[in-house]
């Protein structure tokens, strides 16, 4: 005889990897039709860690600009154009000054050979050349900087309708599989603009299954780690399992009848080889029967033989062919049998389905006690 805690459970891949978007951008359709560019994944496809491309991401298109912001940007572009022309004129002025300084330095060099110029005048001519060369380099850098500012302002004026994304998939960010396994779920299948951390695909190994059941806390306190479990109700033959973890914290769950119940999550591993439950997948429904108590040689009666007599349990027992009410003390019981602690002995016969119409001493159908 055994006493079990029975409830619905579901299978669960032990290690599920959720692939998320690493950056903000437009993720292309993951399971697109054949003929389109890029990888195409479907639920159940096998993936290899750091090799299989899960998704492709492209830059997002620019957003729309309101009328006032557009007018401001256009004015800033005109100002940037004027600043570029001003700086280009400054470059021309410095170039002319540099040409004059170089000519003066050449004259100073010629006079220094005949010693008709002072050392101070020669050094000054050399200094003027070096100073103007540095000023020219600075002015040219200012021109490049103002052109870059103008390009930045023009880019902010770009219209989304005229900004076509690149059709070459190699330009994009490739999101690779973090682990080997199979695609369990495609969370973001369609093309969309996503934020960093948006879940895209779930990956896991379908053979790395466990069973999770939310049992009543009154049953969970009687369950020990390692307790045997019978798993059925999944469409195949019953398989064996064992309890590997009983969570130390419970949670509130409302039943289908609207009753608030305290539940505790119990995790179960399969004991039978994978061949017996290979058709199970992630998040499949099963029924678990967790053994709370069992005995190889227990005196028991069917629960249908029991009835209340005062504050005690009783059965109608056969005494010389007549039914006699007999008090019994009950121990463990399940929905089929009850353990008899005292009041009966092995071999006694009891009425299987007593009713109020059976009077003490009437003839009864008899059944042996297991």
């Amino acid at each position: 005889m055994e006493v079990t805690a029975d409830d619905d459970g579901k299978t669960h891949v032990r290690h599920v990897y959720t692939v998320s978007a690493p950056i903000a951008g437009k993720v292309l359709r993951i399971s697109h039709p054949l003929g389109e560019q890029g990888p195409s994944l479907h639920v159940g496809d096998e993936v290899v860690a750091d090799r299989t491309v899960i998704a492709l991401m492209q830059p997002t298109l620019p957003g729309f600009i309101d009328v006032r912001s557009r007018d401001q940007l256009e004015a800033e572009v005109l100002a940037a154009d004027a600043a570029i022309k001003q700086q280009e004129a400054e470059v021309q002025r410095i170039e002319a000054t540099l040409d004059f300084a170089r000519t003066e330095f050449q004259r100073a060099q010629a006079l220094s050979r005949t010693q008709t110029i002072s050392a101070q005048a020669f050094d000054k001519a050399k200094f003027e050349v070096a100073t103007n060369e540095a000023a020219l380099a600075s002015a040219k850098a200012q021109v490049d900087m103002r052109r870059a500012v103008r390009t930045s302002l023009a880019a902010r004026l770009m219209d989304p309708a005229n900004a076509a994304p690149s059709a070459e998939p190699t330009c994009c960010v490739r999101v690779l599989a973090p682990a080997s396994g199979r695609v369990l779920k495609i969370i973001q299948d369609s093309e969309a603009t996503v934020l960093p951390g948006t879940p895209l695909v779930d990956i896991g190994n379908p053979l790395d299954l466990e069973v999770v059941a939310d049992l009543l806390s009154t049953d969970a306190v009687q369950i020990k780690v390692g307790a045997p479990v019978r798993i059925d109700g999944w469409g195949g033959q019953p398989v064996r399992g064992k309890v590997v973890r009983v969570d130390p914290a419970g949670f509130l769950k409302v039943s289908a009848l609207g009753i608030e119940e305290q539940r505790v999550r119990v995790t179960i591993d399969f004991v039978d080889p994978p061949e017996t439950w290979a058709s199970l997948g992630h998040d499949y429904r099963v029924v678990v029967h967790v053994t709370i108590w069992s005995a190889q040689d227990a005196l028991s009666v069917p629960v249908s033989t029991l009835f209340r007599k005062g504050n005690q349990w009783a059965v109608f027992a056969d005494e010389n062919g007549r039914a006699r009410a007999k008090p019994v003390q009950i121990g463990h019981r399940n929905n089929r049998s009850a353990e008899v602690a005292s009041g009966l002995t092995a071999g006694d016969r009891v009425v299987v389905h007593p009713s109020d119409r059976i009077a003490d001493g009437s003839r009864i159908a008899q059944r042996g006690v297991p």
Side-chain angles (χ1 to χ4, degrees):
M1 178 182 173
E2 68 175 3
V3 179
T4 60
D6 307 329
D7 214 320
D8 289 344
K10 66 178 181 179
T11 59
H12 184 74
V13 171
R14 188 174 284 105
H15 302 291
V16 177
Y17 297 87
T18 299
V19 183
S20 303
I23 58 174
K26 183 177 74 172
V27 59
L28 301 183
R29 185 173 179 84
I30 294 177
S31 57
H32 57 70
L34 295 178
E36 295 186 9
Q37 290 183 339
S40 179
L41 282 180
H42 298 82
V43 174
D45 287 354
E46 188 172 357
V47 297
V48 181
D50 300 326
R51 289 179 55 188
T52 304
V53 178
I54 299 298
L56 291 177
M57 298 192 64
Q58 289 182 340
T60 56
L61 296 177
F64 287 102
I65 306 175
D66 59 84
V67 177
R68 183 176 65 179
S69 298
R70 179 174 290 277
D71 291 342
Q72 289 176 345
L73 288 173
E74 289 176 349
E76 290 178 5
V77 169
L78 293 176
D81 289 336
I84 292 172
K85 291 180 180 179
Q86 180 186 20
Q87 195 62 34
E88 288 176 343
E90 180 69 12
V91 169
Q92 293 176 358
R93 185 190 68 79
I94 296 175
E95 285 178 343
T97 304
L98 179 60
D99 290 340
F100 178 76
R102 285 172 177 170
T103 301
E104 289 294 314
F105 181 62
Q106 290 174 357
R107 292 193 186 104
Q109 284 180 322
L111 293 174
S112 67
R113 287 193 290 268
T114 59
Q115 297 182 352
T116 56
I117 189 174
S118 65
Q120 181 181 4
F122 178 80
D123 291 340
K124 183 178 180 181
K126 184 177 179 181
F127 171 75
E128 291 293 333
V129 171
T131 302
N132 284 288
E133 285 178 346
L136 179 61
S138 175
K140 289 182 176 180
Q142 286 287 334
V143 172
D144 293 338
M145 181 185 71
R146 296 187 180 187
R147 285 175 178 169
V149 171
R150 199 270 180 199
T151 303
S152 174
L153 292 171
R156 292 169 61 184
L157 278 170
M158 186 179 297
D159 192 342
N162 300 326
S166 174
E168 176 58 43
T170 56
C171 74
C172 310
V173 175
R174 294 170 174 258
V175 182
L176 301 179
S180 297
R182 293 187 179 275
V183 177
L184 302 177
K185 182 181 180 182
I186 298 179
I187 303 170
Q188 181 60 53
D189 190 14
S190 300
E191 180 178 306
T193 300
V194 297
L195 297 174
T198 301
L200 303 177
V201 176
D202 282 346
I203 295 173
N205 182 5
L207 295 180
D208 187 22
L209 281 182
E210 62 184 9
V211 177
V212 175
D214 298 333
L215 302 181
L216 291 171
S217 59
T218 52
D219 292 333
V221 296
Q222 306 177 63
I223 297 174
K224 305 298 182 183
V225 173
V229 182
R230 186 176 74 259
I231 304 169
D232 56 19
W234 57 277
Q237 295 297 322
V239 294
R240 295 177 301 160
K242 66 176 180 180
V243 175
V244 295
R245 185 172 63 254
V246 179
D247 285 5
F251 58 93
L252 182 66
K253 184 176 182 180
V254 180
S255 69
L257 299 177
I259 301 173
E260 293 184 349
E261 300 171 337
Q262 284 301 123
R263 296 274 178 166
V264 176
R265 177 157 295 183
V266 177
T267 305
I268 301 164
D269 274 353
F270 289 99
V271 173
D272 288 341
E275 293 79 12
T276 60
W277 47 267
S279 22
L280 280 171
H282 182 59
D283 277 349
Y284 280 33
R285 175 189 176 273
V286 296
V287 178
V288 299
H289 309 276
V290 184
T291 300
I292 297 176
W293 173 87
S294 64
Q296 294 295 329
D297 187 13
L299 180 65
S300 64
V301 295
V303 292
S304 60
T305 64
L306 297 172
F307 64 93
R308 298 296 291 182
K309 186 175 183 181
N311 296 326
Q312 294 181 322
W313 287 105
V315 298
F316 280 108
D318 175 22
E319 291 185 4
N320 300 319
R322 294 184 177 274
R324 303 291 183 183
K326 196 170 187 179
V328 293
Q329 185 176 355
I330 300 302
H332 298 89
R333 63 176 178 175
N334 54 32
N335 56 2
R336 298 182 304 275
S337 304
E339 179 193 17
V340 179
S342 63
L344 293 175
T345 59
D348 287 348
R349 291 182 294 181
V350 295
V351 178
V352 177
H353 299 288
S355 69
D356 294 338
R357 293 179 296 176
I358 299 180
D360 190 18
S362 63
R363 299 290 297 180
I364 57 172
Q366 298 164 341
R367 178 176 179 178
V369 179

